[in-house]
Amino acid sequence: MNTEINWEDPFCAEANNCFRLGTDTTGNAYIAVAGQEDTPLTDTHEALRTLILEIKAGKADHLL
């Protein structure tokens, strides 16, 4: 991947369950398992924002 990604600090539920969020200068957003940032899931910043808002609204509670 040639894009420079600005990664946030990891979000960890437990020591071995960590995810990282990142953005690049072209407006893309990234989610990766900490330590595997070379294979992120990527979409637009708006798509990531929508995903987070939907999760906060409880739309993924059935996965818990």
Side-chain angles (χ1 to χ4, degrees), residues 6 40 46:
N6 180 28
E46 184 59 31

Side-chain angles (χ1 to χ4, degrees), residues 26-57:
T26 63
N28 293 311
Y30 301 83
I31 301 173
V33 173
Q36 298 179 23
E37 290 84 353
D38 56 336
T39 56
L41 170 68
T42 184
D43 207 325
T44 63
H45 186 265
E46 184 59 31
L48 178 60
R49 180 182 182 280
T50 300
L51 173 66
I52 292 169
L53 290 173
E54 294 291 322
I55 290 170
K56 288 175 72 174

Side-chain angles (χ1 to χ4, degrees), residues 10-31:
F11 295 95
C12 301
E14 297 176 12
N16 60 348
N17 296 322
C18 300
F19 292 90
R20 296 189 77 185
L21 302 177
T23 56
D24 67 21
T25 58
T26 63
N28 293 311
Y30 301 83
I31 301 173

